[in-house]
Coordinates of all heavy atoms in Angstrom, one line a residue:
S1046 N 191.6 27.9 103.8 CA 191.7 27.6 102.3 C 191.3 28.9 101.6 O 190.5 29.7 102.0 CB 190.9 26.4 101.9 OG 189.5 26.7 102.2
P1047 N 191.8 29.0 100.4 CA 191.5 30.1 99.4 C 190.1 30.0 98.8 O 189.6 28.8 98.7 CB 192.6 30.2 98.4 CG 193.0 28.7 98.2 CD 192.8 28.1 99.7
S1048 N 189.6 31.0 98.3 CA 188.3 31.0 97.7 C 188.3 32.3 96.6 O 188.4 33.3 97.1 CB 187.1 31.2 98.6 OG 185.9 31.3 98.0
P1049 N 188.0 31.9 95.4 CA 187.9 33.1 94.4 C 186.5 33.9 94.5 O 186.4 34.8 93.8 CB 188.0 32.3 93.1 CG 187.4 31.0 93.3 CD 187.8 30.7 94.8
M1050 N 185.7 33.4 95.4 CA 184.3 34.0 95.5 C 184.5 35.4 96.1 O 183.6 36.3 95.8 CB 183.4 33.1 96.3 CG 182.0 33.7 96.5 SD 180.9 32.6 97.5 CE 180.9 31.2 96.4
F1051 N 185.4 35.7 97.0 CA 185.5 36.9 97.7 C 186.7 37.7 97.2 O 187.7 37.1 96.8 CB 185.5 36.6 99.2 CG 184.4 35.9 99.8 CD1 184.5 34.5 100.0 CD2 183.2 36.5 100.0 CE1 183.5 33.8 100.5 CE2 182.1 35.7 100.5 CZ 182.3 34.4 100.7
A1052 N 186.7 39.0 97.4 CA 187.7 39.9 96.9 C 189.0 39.6 97.6 O 190.1 39.8 97.0 CB 187.3 41.3 97.1
D1053 N 189.1 39.3 98.8 CA 190.3 39.0 99.6 C 190.8 37.7 99.4 O 191.9 37.3 99.9 CB 190.1 39.4 101.1 CG 189.1 38.5 101.7 OD1 188.6 37.6 101.0 OD2 188.7 38.7 102.9
G1054 N 190.1 36.8 98.6 CA 190.6 35.5 98.3 C 190.6 34.5 99.4 O 191.2 33.4 99.3
R1055 N 189.9 34.8 100.5 CA 189.9 33.9 101.7 C 188.5 33.2 101.8 O 187.4 33.9 101.6 CB 190.2 34.6 102.9 CG 191.6 35.2 103.0 CD 191.8 35.9 104.3 NE 190.8 36.9 104.6 CZ 190.7 37.5 105.8 NH1 191.4 37.2 106.9 NH2 189.8 38.4 106.0
A1056 N 188.5 32.0 102.1 CA 187.2 31.3 102.3 C 186.6 31.6 103.7 O 185.5 31.7 103.9 CB 187.3 29.8 102.2
M1057 N 187.5 31.8 104.7 CA 187.1 32.2 106.1 C 186.7 33.7 106.1 O 187.5 34.5 105.6 CB 188.2 31.9 107.1 CG 188.5 30.4 107.2 SD 189.8 30.1 108.3 CE 189.0 30.6 109.9
R1058 N 185.5 34.0 106.6 CA 185.0 35.3 106.6 C 185.1 36.0 108.0 O 184.9 35.3 109.0 CB 183.5 35.4 106.1 CG 183.3 34.6 104.9 CD 184.2 35.0 103.7 NE 184.3 36.4 103.5 CZ 185.5 37.0 103.1 NH1 186.6 36.3 102.9 NH2 185.5 38.3 102.9
P1059 N 185.6 37.3 108.0 CA 185.7 37.9 109.3 C 184.3 38.2 109.9 O 183.3 38.2 109.2 CB 186.4 39.2 109.0 CG 186.0 39.4 107.5 CD 186.0 38.1 106.9
Q1060 N 184.3 38.4 111.2 CA 183.0 38.7 111.9 C 182.4 40.1 111.3 O 183.2 41.0 111.3 CB 183.2 38.7 113.4 CG 181.9 39.1 114.2 CD 182.1 39.0 115.7 OE1 183.1 38.4 116.1 NE2 181.2 39.5 116.5
I1061 N 181.1 40.2 111.2 CA 180.5 41.3 110.6 C 180.3 42.2 111.8 O 179.7 41.8 112.8 CB 179.2 41.0 109.9 CG1 179.5 39.9 108.7 CG2 178.4 42.2 109.5 CD1 178.2 39.5 108.1
D1062 N 180.7 43.5 111.6 CA 180.4 44.5 112.7 C 179.0 44.6 113.1 O 178.1 44.7 112.1 CB 180.9 45.8 112.3 CG 182.5 45.9 112.1 OD1 183.2 45.0 112.8 OD2 183.0 46.7 111.4
G1063 N 178.7 44.7 114.4 CA 177.3 44.9 114.8 C 176.5 43.6 114.9 O 175.3 43.7 115.2
V1064 N 177.0 42.4 114.5 CA 176.2 41.2 114.4 C 176.6 40.4 115.7 O 177.8 40.2 116.1 CB 176.5 40.4 113.2 CG1 175.8 39.0 113.2 CG2 176.1 41.2 111.9
L1065 N 175.6 39.9 116.4 CA 175.8 39.1 117.7 C 175.4 37.7 117.3 O 174.3 37.5 116.7 CB 175.0 39.7 118.8 CG 175.4 41.1 119.2 CD1 174.4 41.6 120.4 CD2 176.8 41.2 119.7
A1066 N 176.2 36.7 117.9 CA 175.8 35.4 118.0 C 174.5 35.2 118.8 O 174.3 35.9 119.8 CB 176.9 34.5 118.4
R1067 N 173.7 34.2 118.5 CA 172.5 34.0 119.3 C 172.8 33.7 120.8 O 172.0 34.2 121.6 CB 171.7 32.8 118.7 CG 171.1 33.0 117.3 CD 170.4 31.8 116.8 NE 169.1 31.7 117.6 CZ 168.0 32.2 117.4 NH1 167.9 33.1 116.3 NH2 166.9 32.0 118.1
E1068 N 173.9 33.1 121.0 CA 174.2 32.9 122.4 C 174.7 34.1 123.2 O 174.7 34.1 124.4 CB 175.3 31.8 122.6 CG 176.6 32.1 121.9 CD 176.7 31.5 120.5 OE1 175.7 31.2 119.9 OE2 177.7 31.3 120.0
D1069 N 175.0 35.2 122.5 CA 175.3 36.5 123.1 C 174.1 37.3 123.3 O 174.3 38.4 123.7 CB 176.3 37.1 122.2 CG 177.7 36.5 122.2 OD1 177.9 35.7 123.1 OD2 178.5 36.8 121.4
I1070 N 172.9 36.8 122.9 CA 171.7 37.6 123.1 C 171.0 37.2 124.3 O 170.4 38.0 125.1 CB 170.8 37.5 121.9 CG1 171.5 38.1 120.7 CG2 169.4 38.2 122.0 CD1 170.7 37.9 119.4
T1071 N 171.0 36.0 124.7 CA 170.3 35.4 125.9 C 171.4 34.6 126.7 O 172.0 33.7 126.1 CB 169.2 34.5 125.5 OG1 168.2 35.2 124.7 CG2 168.5 34.0 126.8
L1072 N 171.5 35.0 127.9 CA 172.4 34.3 128.9 C 171.6 33.2 129.7 O 170.6 33.5 130.3 CB 173.1 35.2 129.8 CG 174.1 36.2 129.2 CD1 174.7 37.1 130.3 CD2 175.2 35.5 128.5
Q1073 N 172.1 32.0 129.6 CA 171.4 30.9 130.4 C 171.9 31.0 131.9 O 173.1 31.2 132.1 CB 171.6 29.6 129.8 CG 171.1 29.5 128.3 CD 169.6 29.7 128.3 OE1 168.9 29.3 129.2 NE2 169.1 30.4 127.2
P1074 N 171.0 30.7 132.8 CA 171.5 30.7 134.2 C 172.4 29.6 134.5 O 172.4 28.5 133.8 CB 170.1 30.5 135.0 CG 169.2 29.9 134.0 CD 169.6 30.4 132.6
E1075 N 173.1 29.7 135.6 CA 174.0 28.7 136.0 C 173.3 27.8 137.1 O 172.2 28.1 137.6 CB 175.3 29.2 136.6 CG 176.1 30.1 135.5 CD 176.7 29.3 134.5 OE1 176.7 28.1 134.6 OE2 177.2 29.9 133.4
T1076 N 174.0 26.7 137.5 CA 173.5 25.8 138.6 C 174.3 25.9 139.8 O 175.5 26.0 139.8 CB 173.5 24.3 138.0 OG1 172.8 24.2 136.8 CG2 173.1 23.4 138.9
L1077 N 173.7 26.0 140.9 CA 174.3 25.9 142.2 C 174.7 24.5 142.5 O 173.8 23.6 142.6 CB 173.4 26.5 143.2 CG 174.0 26.6 144.7 CD1 175.2 27.5 144.7 CD2 173.0 27.0 145.7
N1078 N 175.9 24.2 142.7 CA 176.4 22.9 143.0 C 176.2 22.5 144.4 O 177.2 22.2 145.1 CB 177.9 22.7 142.6 CG 178.1 23.0 141.1 OD1 177.2 22.7 140.3 ND2 179.2 23.6 140.7
D1079 N 175.0 22.4 144.8 CA 174.7 22.0 146.2 C 174.5 20.4 146.2 O 173.8 19.9 145.5 CB 173.3 22.6 146.6 CG 173.0 22.4 148.1 OD1 173.4 21.4 148.6 OD2 172.3 23.3 148.7
P1080 N 175.4 19.7 147.0 CA 175.3 18.3 147.0 C 173.9 17.7 147.4 O 173.6 16.6 147.0 CB 176.4 17.9 148.0 CG 176.7 19.1 148.8 CD 176.4 20.2 147.9
I1081 N 173.3 18.4 148.2 CA 171.9 18.0 148.7 C 170.8 18.4 147.7 O 169.9 17.6 147.4 CB 171.6 18.5 150.1 CG1 172.7 18.0 151.0 CG2 170.2 18.1 150.6 CD1 172.5 18.6 152.5
N1082 N 170.9 19.6 147.2 CA 169.8 20.2 146.3 C 170.4 21.0 145.2 O 170.3 22.2 145.3 CB 168.8 20.9 147.2 CG 167.7 21.6 146.4 OD1 167.3 21.0 145.3 ND2 167.1 22.6 146.8
P1083 N 171.0 20.4 144.2 CA 171.5 21.1 143.1 C 170.4 21.9 142.3 O 169.4 21.1 142.1 CB 172.3 20.1 142.2 CG 171.7 18.8 142.6 CD 171.2 19.0 144.1
R1084 N 170.5 23.1 142.0 CA 169.4 23.8 141.4 C 169.9 25.0 140.5 O 171.0 25.5 140.8 CB 168.4 24.3 142.5 CG 169.1 25.2 143.6 CD 168.2 25.3 144.8 NE 168.8 26.1 145.8 CZ 169.7 25.6 146.7 NH1 170.2 24.4 146.5 NH2 170.2 26.4 147.6
V1085 N 169.0 25.3 139.6 CA 169.3 26.4 138.7 C 169.1 27.7 139.4 O 168.1 27.9 140.2 CB 168.5 26.4 137.3 CG1 168.7 27.6 136.5 CG2 168.8 25.1 136.6
I1086 N 170.0 28.7 139.2 CA 169.9 30.0 139.9 C 169.4 31.0 138.9 O 169.9 31.2 137.8 CB 171.3 30.5 140.4 CG1 171.9 29.5 141.3 CG2 171.1 31.8 141.1 CD1 173.3 29.8 141.7
G1087 N 168.2 31.6 139.2 CA 167.6 32.7 138.3 C 167.0 32.2 137.1 O 166.7 30.9 137.0
K1088 N 166.8 33.0 136.2 CA 166.1 32.7 134.9 C 167.0 33.3 133.7 O 167.9 34.0 133.9 CB 164.8 33.4 134.8 CG 163.8 32.9 136.0 CD 162.4 33.8 135.8 CE 161.5 33.2 136.9 NZ 160.3 33.9 136.8
P1089 N 166.7 32.7 132.5 CA 167.5 33.2 131.4 C 167.3 34.8 131.3 O 166.4 35.4 131.5 CB 166.8 32.6 130.1 CG 166.2 31.3 130.7 CD 165.8 31.8 132.1
L1090 N 168.6 35.3 130.9 CA 168.7 36.9 130.9 C 168.8 37.3 129.5 O 169.7 37.0 128.8 CB 169.9 37.2 131.7 CG 170.1 38.8 131.9 CD1 168.9 39.4 132.6 CD2 171.4 39.0 132.7
S1091 N 167.8 38.1 129.0 CA 167.8 38.5 127.6 C 168.5 39.9 127.6 O 168.3 40.8 128.4 CB 166.3 38.7 127.2 OG 165.8 37.5 127.0
L1092 N 169.4 40.1 126.6 CA 170.1 41.3 126.4 C 169.4 42.1 125.3 O 169.7 41.9 124.1 CB 171.6 41.1 126.0 CG 172.3 40.1 127.0 CD1 173.7 39.8 126.5 CD2 172.3 40.7 128.3
T1093 N 168.5 42.9 125.6 CA 167.5 43.5 124.7 C 168.0 44.8 124.0 O 167.4 45.2 123.0 CB 166.1 43.7 125.4 OG1 166.4 44.7 126.5 CG2 165.5 42.4 125.9
D1094 N 169.1 45.4 124.5 CA 169.5 46.7 123.9 C 171.0 46.8 124.0 O 171.5 46.1 124.9 CB 168.7 47.8 124.6 CG 169.0 47.9 126.0 OD1 170.0 48.5 126.4 OD2 168.2 47.3 126.8
P1095 N 171.6 47.7 123.3 CA 173.1 47.8 123.4 C 173.6 48.2 124.7 O 174.7 47.8 125.1 CB 173.4 48.9 122.3 CG 172.2 48.9 121.3 CD 171.0 48.5 122.2
T1096 N 172.8 49.1 125.5 CA 173.3 49.4 126.8 C 173.3 48.3 127.8 O 174.4 48.1 128.4 CB 172.3 50.5 127.4 OG1 172.4 51.6 126.6 CG2 172.7 50.9 128.8
T1097 N 172.2 47.4 127.8 CA 172.3 46.2 128.6 C 173.4 45.3 128.2 O 174.1 44.7 129.1 CB 170.9 45.5 128.5 OG1 169.9 46.5 128.9 CG2 170.9 44.4 129.4
H1098 N 173.5 45.1 126.9 CA 174.6 44.2 126.4 C 176.0 44.6 126.8 O 176.8 43.9 127.3 CB 174.6 44.2 124.9 CG 175.4 43.1 124.3 ND1 176.8 43.5 123.9 CD2 175.4 41.8 124.0 CE1 177.4 42.5 123.4 NE2 176.6 41.4 123.4

Side-chain angles (χ1 to χ4, degrees):
S1046 61
S1048 172
M1050 181 179 297
F1051 303 101
D1053 59 6
R1055 298 183 302 170
M1057 298 177 65
R1058 309 313 306 148
Q1060 183 175 340
I1061 302 174
D1062 292 338
V1064 175
L1065 299 177
R1067 294 183 65 87
E1068 59 266 23
D1069 288 345
I1070 298 176
T1071 302
L1072 293 182
Q1073 298 301 323
E1075 301 292 348
T1076 301
L1077 182 63
N1078 298 326
D1079 189 330
I1081 300 177
N1082 180 27
R1084 54 199 179 276
V1085 174
I1086 306 172
K1088 298 179 180 180
L1090 185 61
S1091 296
L1092 310 177
T1093 56
D1094 59 86
T1096 297
T1097 303
H1098 183 273

